[in-house]
Amino acid sequence: MCGIIGYIGTKEALPILIKGLRRLEYRGYDSAGVAVQDKGVLQRVRAVGKIDNLAEKVKDHDIGGTVGIAHTRWATHGGVTEENAHPHVDCSGDLALVHNGIIENYRELKEKYLAKHIFQSQTDTEILAHLIEENYQGDLRSAVQSALALVQGTYGLVAMHRKEPNKIVAARLGSPLVIGVGDHEYFIASDTSPMLAYTQKVIFLDDGELAEISKEGFEIFTLRDQKISKPTEEITWNEAEAQTNGFPHFMLKEIFDQPTVIKDALRGRLILEDGSAKLGGLNMTVEEIQSIKRVILIACGTASYAALVGKNAFERLAGIPTTVEIASEFRYSDPIIDRHTLVFGISQSGETADTLAAIREAKRKGAYVRGIVNVIGSTIARETDGGTYIHAGPELAVASTKAYTNMIAVLLMYALEFGRSNRLAIATGERLVRALQEIPEKMKIVLEQSDTIKKMAEKFKKYDDFFFLGRGVNYPVALEGSLKLKEISYIHSEAYPGGEMKHGPIALLSKDFPVFALLTKNSLYDKMRSNIEEIKARGAPIILIATEGDAQALALTDNVIYVPTTMELLEPLINTIPLQLFAYHMAVLLGKDVDRPRNLAKSVTVE
Ligand code: F6R
């Protein structure tokens, strides 16, 4: 959702801020703005729509200066207008600030200060500018601290003041901020992506912390002004990974990244001779592992479909009853959790508000809580007592692809580790390890069929509705394929377990309602085949994902995409890729904005 970048240093701030905003585009936004100060003048420019609009508009202003802040806004309070775009200023125009999060008591506060201050927007954020103005007596840090004591809600806040030109003040509560340490320059941003071109040295602010940054350095305080020291961390992601590398879209690049990044997820974690895996971040003794009677996987969207694959693996390999909980439901339920329960919060961004709230609830109730996360230093990674990075690298297309397969890889390794600590035979463990090691090459075989899948999309682009069907391990694959299609091509699609069709959905079938079915050679092959026969009998067009060499698939339809065979539990790692490609090509053919689909945000930081 919203994104922040601030700069203070020796270079011209404006180009760094505009480039930074472009790096934040992936989060989803509908307007953007920038404020830069120089020689006692603070200039602000804002524009609705793409960063290009803002970049055009700033050309009409002569903006110099080495200190500035910028923002991409995803509207929550107040429509998509220039007045509502950040940065917001106080009545004097001396103070400018950008804000992520929601100020819940802004209405009461606005009411109180309405007579005294000039409000120019409908946002919840603007009240912060006026509260800081009320408390400003020549020291921005202290004014921010006083203002924040009055608000309820969440914030990642970055402010600067014309009267203190060598200073940026940033504060965090519930919305991430990270300081980047460069060479005589500092960055402050909502995530590391806009600073990767300049530095990999970062300090993550925690909730309740405030940073005062100047060209000479920075200091960190609590909101009550206690000085604290924090370590600088080195992040492994770099700018090159955050480029499209010649692919027309981030999404296609990220689909093609999968054979490489899954190796990063597996590296150093598989132990062939023990037929097992070892994930260092679990932080549990063998006794603790053996004491676990229940696993709960908490996630949203695509991550929850990866979790469904994980459920299968935990139950089959480790024999531990496992449930998948949608975070937004779990957080308001009354879950039965005890000290024999292990909860994994699974999230690419590590910032999803619902997942975060759900794992906090699980923690309160005494479960072991671990994270399975992609973004390094993200809130879920920091709030869990251990866990594992999935090492998918920056995922910048809104629709998740490589994070999904890497989440599955990590879940499979956890299930293997738990299985081997409980009942799983070494021979089965060894087979699984070998099969996992073969996955990257098999993924490449599927990727080579991208052009064939594109032709398939061309043939099917006229349809308005799709079913995706799978059984057993392929049901989560069907769910993910259906989600990908609707997210980026806006085509209506639904996913069902194959056996469920006859209980209702089959009524919808006609020659205008194609069915995408997963018919790979696994233990449910014959059952799934019968389900597809039922569909064929009703005249619906069929596309099949089938196992290489399965000639029978062609008896059901001409539209077959063949995939390499693997162990049944690992099939989602392979079988999902053609569905990702199908959704991608379909969206491109229909002229949709593949990387930034309408209404969606990459990091869903509101409830
Ligand atoms: C789908 C998609 C979303 C996310 C969901 C959870 O392509 O990207 O469904 O999977 O919003 O996000 P994370 O994994 O960041 O918690």
Side-chain angles (χ1 to χ4, degrees):
M1 294 185 153
C2 307
I4 291 175
I5 170 73
Y7 175 80
I8 184 162
T10 51
K11 300 187 191 122
E12 284 296 312
L14 185 65
I16 293 173
L17 296 174
I18 296 285
K19 185 173 167 189
L21 289 178
R22 292 193 194 281
R23 293 283 176 267
L24 290 166
E25 280 191 294
Y26 79 96
R27 294 167 70 102
Y29 70 104
D30 39 47
S31 57
V34 61
V36 177
Q37 60 167 320
D38 187 34
K39 300 189 190 86
V41 179
L42 194 154
Q43 292 197 73
R44 169 176 70 143
V45 182
R46 298 171 296 167
V48 166
K50 298 286 176 201
I51 305 298
D52 285 343
N53 301 351
L54 180 69
E56 265 313 302
K57 215 167 162 191
V58 292
K59 287 184 190 156
D60 301 338
H61 300 71
D62 184 19
I63 302 182
T66 57
V67 183
I69 57 178
H71 189 263
T72 50
R73 174 173 188 254
W74 190 87
T76 55
H77 295 66
V80 181
T81 63
E82 192 176 315
E83 291 68 39
N84 289 336
H86 302 212
H88 289 286
V89 293
D90 64 356
C91 301
S92 66
D94 285 348
L95 171 93
L97 62 77
V98 292
H99 163 237
N100 287 355
I102 291 175
I103 303 304
E104 285 160 8
N105 60 338
Y106 84 99
R107 280 180 215 282
E108 301 96 271
L109 290 166
K110 192 167 173 176
E111 190 95 337
K112 185 166 168 198
Y113 291 102
L114 208 48
K116 217 172 149 199
H117 289 260
I118 306 155
F119 285 81
Q120 298 169 25
S121 77
Q122 291 83 50
T123 64
D124 55 324
T125 294
E126 192 185 354
I127 187 64
L128 289 171
H130 298 293
L131 288 177
I132 295 171
E133 180 177 26
E134 275 287 312
N135 288 281
Y136 189 74
Q137 286 168 349
D139 178 6
L140 183 58
R141 180 175 100 224
S142 137
V144 168
Q145 282 163 333
S146 306
L148 292 179
L150 303 170
V151 303
Q152 285 155 18
T154 55
Y155 47 80
L157 166 76
V158 179
M160 63 180 186
H161 202 286
R162 197 180 59 81
K163 292 186 180 151
E164 294 173 80
N166 180 21
K167 192 185 280 183
I168 285 181
V169 171
R172 168 187 171 151
L173 188 75
S175 189
L177 283 178
V178 54
I179 303 171
V181 182
D183 192 11
H184 296 103
E185 59 187 359
Y186 294 89
F187 305 83
I188 177 85
S190 44
D191 68 55
T192 57
S193 55
M195 58 180 75
L196 288 176
Y198 312 95
T199 184
Q200 284 165 284
K201 284 202 201 103
V202 298
I203 295 106
F204 293 100
L205 290 185
D206 282 310
D207 280 351
E209 290 178 355
L210 175 148
E212 188 177 82
I213 311 168
S214 72
K215 290 179 186 172
E216 289 76 39
F218 64 89
E219 289 181 310
I220 300 176
F221 302 85
T222 64
L223 291 176
R224 297 222 170 105
D225 214 32
Q226 302 289 310
K227 200 165 159 186
I228 47 178
S229 68
K230 301 199 72 164
T232 305
E233 297 177 40
E234 195 89 29
I235 43 169
T236 49
W237 291 3
N238 59 47
E239 171 75 348
E241 285 177 297
Q243 307 287 329
T244 49
N245 292 342
F247 285 92
H249 297 98
F250 276 113
M251 183 175 174
L252 191 62
K253 183 236 172 203
E254 287 159 9
I255 292 173
F256 274 80
D257 273 350
Q258 288 173 109
T260 307
V261 298
I262 199 166
K263 281 192 203 154
D264 296 336
L266 301 175
R267 186 167 299 118
R269 291 168 169 171
L270 293 172
I271 314 166
L272 181 61
E273 56 278 18
D274 295 343
S276 188
K278 178 101 191 115
L279 293 132
L282 182 60
N283 296 338
M284 288 171 79
T285 61
V286 174
E287 291 71 38
E288 285 175 320
I289 290 177
Q290 287 168 342
S291 75
I292 295 302
K293 303 269 180 291
R294 208 168 145 232
V295 170
I296 302 180
L297 306 173
I298 300 179
C300 303
T302 287
S304 75
Y305 302 150
L308 285 172
V309 180
K311 168 189 159 70
N312 254 319
F314 264 102
E315 294 189 338
R316 291 202 205 171
L317 298 176
I320 304 175
T322 302
T323 50
V324 175
E325 303 283 348
I326 300 294
S328 53
E329 290 295 308
F330 181 87
R331 63 184 291 190
Y332 295 112
S333 64
D334 197 3
I336 299 157
I337 284 176
D338 60 21
R339 62 196 171 83
H340 299 294
T341 309
L342 170 61
V343 169
F344 284 102
I346 307 169
S347 172
Q348 187 288 129
S349 62
E351 303 294 349
T352 303
D354 286 322
T355 311
L356 189 56
I359 61 170
R360 284 179 180 153
E361 182 61 20
K363 240 175 154 179
R364 252 192 305 274
K365 295 206 156 148
Y368 290 94
V369 178
R370 302 292 183 261
I372 296 179
V373 169
N374 192 35
V375 176
I376 294 157
S378 55
T379 308
I380 293 176
R382 299 162 73 70
E383 286 208 9
T384 42
D385 306 317
T388 298
Y389 284 120
I390 62 170
H391 294 316
E395 190 184 66
L396 301 179
V398 164
S400 189
T401 52
K402 61 177 179 172
Y404 167 83
T405 35
N406 271 29
M407 282 168 185
I408 292 176
V410 166
L411 283 160
L412 286 166
M413 286 190 283
Y414 269 125
L416 182 58
E417 184 173 354
F418 274 72
R420 292 289 294 127
S421 303
N422 289 319
R423 60 174 201 172
L424 191 73
I426 187 165
T428 317
E430 269 176 22
R431 265 199 318 125
L432 205 114
V433 170
R434 284 189 205 283
L436 274 170
Q437 286 166 335
E438 288 168 3
I439 289 291
E441 286 312 308
K442 294 186 173 175
M443 285 176 154
K444 284 185 195 161
I445 295 171
V446 182
L447 292 170
E448 279 162 14
Q449 298 180 67
S450 181
D451 285 343
T452 315
I453 295 167
K454 183 176 174 183
K455 285 189 193 117
M456 201 84 86
E458 180 77 56
K459 191 168 164 186
F460 280 85
K461 71 174 192 221
K462 62 175 189 274
Y463 293 100
D464 296 328
D465 308 279
F466 279 80
F467 269 127
F468 283 76
L469 305 185
R471 296 188 74 142
V473 293
N474 279 325
Y475 174 50
V477 177
L479 286 164
E480 176 59 4
S482 169
L483 180 65
K484 286 289 91 88
L485 187 69
K486 58 172 86 96
E487 269 183 304
I488 59 168
S489 68
Y490 318 144
I491 293 173
H492 166 240
S493 75
E494 298 188 35
Y496 278 95
E500 190 62 12
M501 285 297 280
K502 57 189 171 294
H503 299 290
I506 203 165
L508 289 172
L509 284 185
S510 73
K511 64 176 183 21
D512 298 321
F513 208 134
V515 176
F516 213 123
L518 291 127
L519 179 69
T520 40
K521 284 269 182 170
N522 60 31
S523 56
L524 290 169
Y525 177 84
D526 290 333
K527 304 281 171 212
M528 188 65 196
R529 207 189 135 85
S530 306
N531 297 145
I532 297 166
E533 295 282 7
E534 289 153 17
I535 288 157
K536 187 173 156 70
R538 281 152 186 91
I542 296 170
I543 310 173
L544 286 184
I545 303 291
T547 305
E548 272 168 351
D550 179 9
Q552 289 183 43
L554 286 168
L556 294 163
T557 174
D558 295 337
N559 309 307
V560 182
I561 302 165
Y562 282 110
V563 292
T565 181
T566 181
M567 272 177 84
E568 184 162 337
L569 270 179
L570 274 50
E571 280 192 28
L573 293 170
I574 300 294
N575 298 355
T576 309
I577 295 178
L579 307 194
Q580 295 169 341
L581 285 168
F582 184 78
Y584 169 79
H585 288 303
M586 189 70 111
V588 173
L589 287 166
L590 296 175
K592 306 297 183 214
D593 187 351
V594 174
D595 283 339
R596 289 185 287 277
R598 71 184 181 205
N599 304 335
L600 297 180
K602 184 69 182 162
S603 185
V604 186
T605 49
V606 296
E607 225 188 297

